[in-house]
Amino acid sequence: MEAPLLLLQRLMEAAQVVTSNGNADGNYQYEIISWFDSVSKNAAMVQTETLGQILHLNYGVEYLKKWFGDMKIQDMDACALESLYASLVPLASHADFEPFIQRIADGDTAPILTQQPITTLSLSSGTTEGRQKLLPFTRHSSQTTLHIYRLAAAYRSRVYPIREGGRILEFIYSSKQLKTKGGLTAGTATTHYYASEEYNIKQEKTKSFTCSPQEVIFGGDYKQSTYCHLLLGLLFWDEVELIASTFAYSIVQAFATFEEQWEEICSDIKDGTLSSRITLPRMRKAVLDIISPSPCLASQIEAICRDSKASNWYGIVPRLWPNAKYVYSIMTGSMQPYLKKLRHYAASLPLVSADYGSTEGWIGVNLDPCLPPEDVNFAVIPTFSYFEFIPLNKKKQDLTSGTVGYIEDEPVPLSQVKIGQEYELVLTTFTGLYRYRLGDVVEVAGFHNGTPKLNFIFRRELILTVNIDKNTENDLQLAVERGSEVLNKYGGELVDFTSHAEVMHQPGHYMIYWEIKGEVEERVLGECCGVMDASFVDHGYVVSRRTNSIGPLELCIVETGTFNKVLDYFIGNGAALGQFKTPRCTNNHILLRILNLCTIKRFHSTAYN
Ligand code: AMP
């Protein structure tokens, strides 16, 4: 058998060749798919070697020295190193890395986390914990983004081939790029990627081009960028092969904007002008350089919009872009609540759920583009990072622990995961994170060769709790779904939601904030409130509600546009629309102030009266 290190080297080199060389033809697709077949068949060994490579590359960095001391790991066998690593280096959270990352941000150039100097830092979207995290970003990060993009594209094109030279209407946005005290650039990971050489390579090699120029993506004002994305997408209507964004939220947000601004967009298309909404000079110039008067196109679009408006914009996407083959975006996890609206806009156009990753690193690829987003799973790419899995077993009744009701077992490597088991993911990355707890809970759905396919379940820290109750993002999502079914029955529509566990007053209780569309009677909203309260089946919650140690659930209806204010608050703090996820549960004071100031109606559940 080939020596493991040689095998890994060969697979890594093959990866480089397929991502940098290939053209968009079938041969390239065959190459990248057969590359993934080989790494996934050898997943266990590839993982051992990936860890060896990360540790050899970063031998002697301050963080590792803390645990390895002066141990000479270079001569060690990869398998022995894997066991030693797990026994010496502890599991860590972002808080453990924060002081090291802060020193890098402040300009310390010593080899702290990696031997190669880190010159760029990423800001996580921060919408999950209410606080943005700084994380290292290196060339490896952009390379893996390009790599997973091309791998996923190869699988997609087997079922939904797209025309070479076509366009993608991409709702993508950069964040503000900040300079840290030490002069490093900090921005969201997607922003770094759009600015990287890899992003250009992706367009050239896949021969699919974004409708908007860099000036629109990097404009820095998401409202102006959205207007221009829509305008240019319509101008290139017959060339658009797919509609995409990083997270589904951005597409829903864009079409909500379109419902409001379509007449203005049509008038710009007719006259070759640009609305005075677009005030950023570079964006204005770049767009004006592309557009010219197209009165025929404008009147066709106008006719479609008038007609669509009458049916509440059902199927607007395929009507405006008849050559589009599918809509592509992350639709799982906290994006699921937007699926209904997305399906409404997309009608019969397939929705293809995009891959699984985080600012810390990419994790898995969707190999079955035909699956509906609710059923999608992600095959782990074993060359990207070293992955460990903390087995999580649900506690029967947890009255004491502060964490979600789980018993954690010892982490296991990728080769030892079991189908049906839930795990928390742990990453060791090429960018200098060692045994880093990502905080995501996944379930092993099956295997692709030797690599696990993961269902994303939820983020661990997102939890509603007052006393002995524990409800996760999933539980909340289910309760909200039940409540919104009642709302839909009476002609209302849920636009967005979040929640808060109010514990300042006794007894504490859950508050759920809803922004809705359409007129519904108060009686109906009261019913929605009761249905949600009764839908939390967590034993701790039910017992506490019965004994009134948790008070009635409160439904707060916020005025139209409130969740746009929430979005603006995050964008103002450096988030990007492209990576935005509405926090489903919040304790953030500023956010709560916005929500409470915008509350126009309150209902208290009578479910347990
Ligand atoms: P951020 O790094 O702030 O952009 O957020 C990364 C987080 O988004 C991950 O840790 C997941 O919780 C979530 N996420 C990313 N990709 C997916 C996906 N395909 N499905 C569900 N959740 C995802």
Side-chain angles (χ1 to χ4, degrees), residues 124-126 128 247 330 332-334 354-360 378 438 440 456 459 579 581:
S124 72
S125 56
T128 41
F247 286 96
I330 293 175
T332 35
S334 61
D355 309 308
Y356 174 28
S358 65
T359 305
E360 289 82 347
F378 308 97
L438 188 61
D440 283 354
F456 177 86
R459 277 194 77 88
Q579 264 177 259
K581 305 164 204 72

Side-chain angles (χ1 to χ4, degrees), residues 55 59-60 64-65 67-76 80-81 84-85 87-88:
L55 296 179
Y59 174 71
L64 287 177
K65 253 192 165 164
W67 314 109
F68 282 120
D70 288 326
M71 223 177 258
K72 298 268 175 286
I73 59 162
Q74 291 99 322
D75 314 322
M76 228 176 232
L81 185 54
L84 185 72
Y85 178 67
S87 66
L88 291 183

Side-chain angles (χ1 to χ4, degrees), residues 227 231 264-265 268 273-279 284:
Y227 186 93
L231 174 68
E264 214 172 319
I265 294 176
D268 278 346
T273 51
L274 189 56
S275 156
S276 57
R277 288 174 189 277
I278 313 305
T279 55
R284 272 196 83 79

